[in-house]
Amino acid sequence: MGHTQAKFWKCALQVNPASYISYRGQEQQLSETDYNQQMLEVCLQENIKVLGIANHGNIDGVDAIRDLMNKNDILVFPGFEIASSEKIHFVCLFSEKDTSQKLERYLGHLDLLDPEEGVKPSRLSAEQLIAKVNEIGGFIYAAHCTSENGLLKKRSKHIWILLGLKAAQIPGSVEDLKTVEDGFYRKVIRNKEVAYKRELPIAIINAKDIETPETLKDLRSSCLIKMTEPSFESFKLAFQDTESRVRLNSDVEEKYYSQIKSLKVTGGYLDGLDIKFSEHLNAVIGGRGTGKSTLLECIRYVLELEPIGINSQKQHKDIIKENLGKSRARVELTIRSSTMNG
């Protein structure tokens, strides 16, 4: 189903396959099929619509996860976690259309040729990794940047300020970092630390390492990305405008407000018009005489919001009479009231 309005989509961007738990020195109790099925069930429960696969230095399990999720309208960005020669960890994600064979070539391009060496650093520096991933059309973010092997933990300010690095992962909210290392991380993330100041603020995401399906229920495992239709290109585009298109779950307060959801006109000048309004900004654009004022006056008419001023009232009545009155037209509004939620 196509979408025509931008909205925030819940994205878990550091999901691991069933085999990942062995990296932690533990034994997987679930079969790959059961693990993937449980992960699907949690995604459906939590309304997670995008997964980024990020096993350490290999693409094991990507196709099985992708096939299952795609059948259930969940988009998968395949990828992997990789360490630079300085042992700084990054997650690299790629297009939903990229095959496993292409991902293997990407690993080779990033100087990590042997999957058995997946947990070992690449021969490329962090700066080279960022440049190469962008060059081949991928997306790279700094993984667990405030923890061990993290970009900020290692005080790598020359890497932090690179424009090719669009995002960094933190373990919770920005405010949670207020008392950590005397507020250093919080200050850097808010672009207030002079030595780390970026030309453009970096996007902050939550992408907790997913080692069991249940971990996906943790709000710190996902973040919110604003897109019209989820796709890798839309995803990357969102990070060009991080202040309005990238959110942490902890940033979103549940608010209830009234909304005009749709308008339908039967008969008259706008006969057949059927509009579904966005929850966000709506713009009415068109040349002179295309019905912009008529549309707005129809909404005013249905809501019985009479204009202020004699001239405005006359104009309103003339528009309604001309466009609705002559042909017994009908205007229907679908409205959501804030009082429905107390």
Side-chain angles (χ1 to χ4, degrees):
M1 177 181 176
H3 297 87
T4 58
Q5 303 163 7
K7 59 178 282 188
F8 283 102
W9 301 84
K10 201 170 186 180
C11 306
L13 301 175
Q14 197 169 2
V15 175
N16 294 290
S19 60
Y20 169 77
I21 201 168
S22 62
Y23 170 74
R24 298 287 190 186
Q26 302 174 45
E27 185 176 345
Q28 179 58 262
Q29 301 299 314
L30 297 172
S31 68
E32 181 181 26
T33 300
D34 289 343
Y35 178 93
N36 292 347
Q37 182 61 38
Q38 287 188 22
M39 188 157 59
L40 169 63
E41 290 168 4
V42 176
C43 285
L44 295 174
Q45 290 169 12
E46 300 297 318
N47 199 31
I48 295 171
K49 292 295 186 180
V50 176
L51 296 182
I53 309 301
N55 201 4
H56 281 261
N58 67 68
I59 58 166
D60 293 349
V62 164
D63 286 337
I65 294 173
R66 176 159 48 186
D67 290 346
L68 178 62
M69 297 299 165
N70 286 351
K71 290 175 184 175
N72 290 274
D73 201 28
I74 296 171
L75 193 64
V76 172
F77 299 150
F80 40 79
E81 184 171 348
I82 192 170
S84 68
S85 59
E86 307 97 329
K87 298 186 179 179
I88 300 171
H89 284 214
F90 296 91
V91 168
C92 309
L93 300 175
F94 299 92
S95 170
E96 67 273 18
K97 300 174 184 176
D98 285 346
T99 63
S100 295
Q101 291 76 17
K102 185 174 282 190
L103 293 170
E104 292 283 10
R105 290 199 295 272
Y106 291 157
L107 280 170
H109 198 64
L110 299 176
D111 271 6
L112 193 67
L113 299 173
D114 186 353
E116 295 300 319
E117 296 184 1
V119 296
K120 295 180 181 179
S122 163
R123 289 182 282 273
L124 300 180
S125 68
E127 186 169 0
Q128 289 172 319
L129 272 179
I130 292 168
K132 288 247 183 183
V133 171
N134 283 299
E135 179 186 312
I136 58 181
F139 180 85
I140 184 169
Y141 70 81
H144 44 80
C145 71
T146 62
S147 305
E148 184 181 358
N149 296 318
L151 180 57
L152 290 182
K153 186 73 172 179
K154 286 181 172 287
R155 299 298 196 269
S156 300
K157 61 184 178 183
H158 65 293
I159 303 302
W160 179 264
I161 63 175
L162 293 174
L163 288 178
L165 183 65
K166 304 293 186 184
Q169 173 202 354
I170 62 173
S173 72
V174 175
E175 290 307 303
D176 289 343
L177 299 172
K178 190 173 183 178
T179 58
V180 180
E181 301 221 12
D182 295 323
F184 167 73
Y185 295 139
R186 178 172 173 266
K187 196 172 181 181
V188 172
I189 286 167
R190 296 176 67 191
N191 216 24
K192 302 294 185 182
E193 181 67 40
V194 175
Y196 288 75
K197 192 167 182 64
R198 290 169 51 95
E199 184 177 330
L200 296 172
I202 201 165
I204 299 303
I205 62 173
N206 286 160
K208 183 178 174 67
D209 242 337
I210 304 302
E211 54 189 53
T212 69
E214 287 295 305
T215 313
L216 281 166
K217 294 181 179 180
D218 190 328
L219 288 178
R220 296 170 299 176
S221 72
S222 60
C223 57
L224 303 168
I225 310 296
K226 193 174 186 180
M227 301 174 276
T228 301
E229 185 85 38
S231 71
F232 192 60
E233 290 308 312
S234 296
F235 172 81
K236 290 198 296 181
L237 188 61
F239 285 86
Q240 302 295 327
D241 182 16
T242 59
E243 291 188 28
S244 64
R245 291 183 173 266
V246 182
R247 295 277 188 277
L248 303 182
N249 286 302
S250 58
D251 291 339
V252 180
E253 295 181 17
E254 197 164 26
K255 295 181 179 179
Y256 302 111
Y257 52 90
S258 297
Q259 178 198 355
I260 299 175
K261 295 179 70 68
S262 65
L263 176 146
K264 184 177 182 180
V265 180
T266 305
Y269 179 64
L270 297 179
D271 182 42
L273 183 68
D274 191 353
I275 299 175
K276 303 294 188 294
F277 291 105
S278 168
E279 293 184 358
H280 306 286
L281 177 67
N282 291 276
V284 182
I285 301 171
R288 186 174 182 180
T290 55
K292 300 186 300 297
S293 297
T294 303
L295 172 64
L296 297 177
E297 294 303 333
C298 283
I299 294 174
R300 187 195 298 275
Y301 175 71
V302 175
L303 296 177
E304 297 184 336
L305 298 173
E306 192 167 287
I308 297 173
I310 295 174
N311 290 336
S312 296
Q313 290 175 8
K314 182 179 184 304
Q315 183 184 34
H316 168 70
K317 290 177 181 177
D318 288 346
I319 288 176
I320 295 302
K321 182 178 179 180
E322 183 68 25
N323 291 281
L324 300 181
K326 290 183 177 181
S327 59
R328 299 177 63 85
R330 183 175 66 188
V331 181
E332 300 175 42
L333 288 185
T334 302
I335 296 174
R336 181 185 67 190
S337 172
S338 61
T339 58
M340 292 172 62
N341 296 288

